[in-house]
Amino acid sequence: MSKHTMTRWKLFGTDHDFAVWLNDYSAQGWQLTKSGWIRFEFTRGVPSQYVYRYHLIPGRLGSQKRAEYLHLLDGMQVDVLKVYEDSVRAQGAAILRRDAAMGQFELESDLGSRLAYEKRLRRLYSGMAGAMVAVVIGLVVAGFFTVPTIVQSLRQGHNSFSDGLTAGITVGAALAALFFLVFGIYIVTQLVGNSRRVASLEHSHLVHE
Amino acid sequence: MSQPLTEAVFYILVALTEPLHGYGIMLKVSDMTHGRVSLAAGTLYGALSALANKGWLDVDVVDDQKRYRLTDAGLAALRDEQERLTELAAHGRAALTERTTHV
């Protein structure tokens, strides 16, 4: 890998911490050039040249709603680097950036729209946390039912293909449960931060617009 | 009695006394307020969608760009808000003048 480019891997990322991660690299002179689901390529450039945001964007891929929003962003000289589609909720999440010389880069400029955006995030995180809990419970239950079979076959000294398969499924389920548990805990921490922001915005919204 | 408008919506309606596209609205509002009110993409998009749903805006497509313009209902809403703000300012001014006189 050239010293002018570098690759970094990032497994999880929600709005706030993902943007912080990208902006930290930008401050060090590394600007994002390619992005995948977990793999990101950076190129050496001018430190802090761009400000990055990771933001939910409305509408399905190819919809009029989406086109209008992207057109507005284009008019504001915002680069759309990557869009991740969420077909379940008919929306996307995008990595956006704008030249830092253009000043503050915000996607929501008043309390009402900031609050509405944070509430959208809260619904998203709550749904994800609920799904993680369901998956972990499902995997734990599935693993629990295979354990007696493994114990029994060990006692009887069996070493058949089906015993090996059952043990493999149990270990796989345990590892998957661990992965989803860690992911679930991460989502819950994001949900807590988001709930604090919602409460603070609602408090301000009582006085200011 | 109509509901008070947010500052963003008020300025969008003011800007649309002439037809404009989304980015044009943002520039005009920023220019009018000397940069104090800066409409971000999410805020502007949300407000334009809500106003179009209320029937306060009409949309024309010119050179592949959407141009927004006020409807009669939108103009009436702007007038109502203008009157409300004038009354608000008058009450504030009167209270402060009275206080200065007493002091």
Side-chain angles (χ1 to χ4, degrees):
Chain A
M1 176 83 26
S2 149
K3 61 183 176 181
H4 296 291
T5 60
M6 70 169 188
T7 301
R8 287 289 179 270
W9 302 80
K10 186 167 175 60
L11 196 53
F12 309 137
T14 51
D15 279 48
H16 185 256
D17 69 344
F18 192 50
V20 167
W21 186 69
L22 292 171
N23 285 318
D24 279 348
Y25 280 121
S26 175
Q28 295 165 36
W30 291 105
Q31 304 301 344
L32 186 66
T33 41
K34 270 188 190 171
S35 28
W37 282 97
I38 55 170
R39 185 177 184 276
F40 300 88
E41 272 184 38
F42 296 82
T43 302
R44 176 62 82 187
V46 178
S48 299
Q49 184 183 358
Y50 296 108
V51 180
Y52 293 83
R53 292 282 179 263
Y54 182 63
H55 211 75
L56 296 179
I57 57 172
R60 285 180 196 280
L61 178 67
S63 67
Q64 175 75 11
K65 215 176 188 181
R66 173 70 62 81
E68 279 172 26
Y69 191 77
L70 294 182
H71 188 72
L72 266 180
L73 290 178
D74 186 48
M76 294 171 184
Q77 294 168 56
V78 174
D79 299 327
V80 181
L81 300 182
K82 172 87 179 173
V83 178
Y84 301 94
E85 296 300 335
D86 177 353
S87 50
V88 177
R89 292 172 194 84
Q91 65 185 12
I95 302 177
L96 309 168
R97 79 174 178 195
R98 196 168 74 164
D99 200 312
M102 294 188 69
Q104 208 179 359
F105 177 27
E106 296 300 337
L107 276 305
E108 315 293 340
S109 52
D110 65 10
L111 267 176
S113 49
R114 264 183 225 140
L115 187 57
Y117 184 77
E118 290 292 346
K119 285 183 174 176
R120 270 176 78 194
L121 281 182
R122 186 167 65 182
R123 285 194 294 276
L124 181 68
Y125 294 154
S126 302
M128 286 168 83
M132 293 303 125
V133 168
V135 168
V136 170
I137 290 173
L139 287 169
V140 168
V141 169
F144 183 75
F145 278 111
T146 58
V147 168
T149 315
I150 296 170
V151 171
Q152 191 182 11
S153 71
L154 284 173
R155 277 183 183 159
Q156 292 170 354
H158 291 169
N159 195 16
S160 67
F161 173 75
S162 67
D163 292 338
L165 187 66
T166 311
I169 290 170
T170 309
V171 171
L175 289 175
L178 188 64
F179 171 82
F180 284 110
L181 185 66
V182 171
F183 192 29
I185 289 169
Y186 172 77
I187 292 298
V188 168
T189 61
Q190 297 301 308
L191 190 56
V192 169
N194 167 267
S195 297
R196 284 191 186 134
R197 287 196 297 277
V198 168
S200 162
L201 286 169
E202 277 177 338
H203 187 71
S204 302
H205 206 36
L206 290 173
V207 180
H208 304 285
E209 118 182 327
Chain B
M1 188 70 182
S2 56
Q3 287 282 316
L5 306 180
T6 65
E7 188 175 48
V9 165
F10 177 75
Y11 273 114
I12 289 170
L13 295 181
V14 169
L16 287 176
T17 43
E18 60 170 335
L20 286 171
H21 53 78
Y23 187 52
I25 297 170
M26 203 191 74
L27 287 180
K28 188 171 172 182
V29 170
S30 178
D31 196 39
M32 205 185 312
T33 61
H34 305 288
R36 186 182 66 80
V37 178
S38 167
L39 297 173
T43 301
L44 181 58
Y45 177 81
L48 289 174
S49 303
L51 293 175
N53 285 339
K54 281 174 86 76
W56 290 5
L57 301 182
D58 263 347
V59 186
D60 303 312
V61 179
V62 181
D63 296 332
D64 275 348
Q65 278 201 329
K66 271 191 163 186
R67 288 221 310 183
Y68 301 88
R69 60 185 166 78
L70 281 188
T71 59
D72 290 343
L75 199 58
L78 177 58
R79 286 205 176 100
D80 284 351
E81 183 65 0
Q82 165 66 34
E83 277 173 26
R84 191 186 71 83
L85 292 174
T86 305
E87 185 186 290
L88 215 75
H91 287 157
R93 196 178 301 115
L96 288 173
T97 308
E98 197 176 325
R99 187 172 190 276
T100 311
T101 313
H102 289 314
V103 172

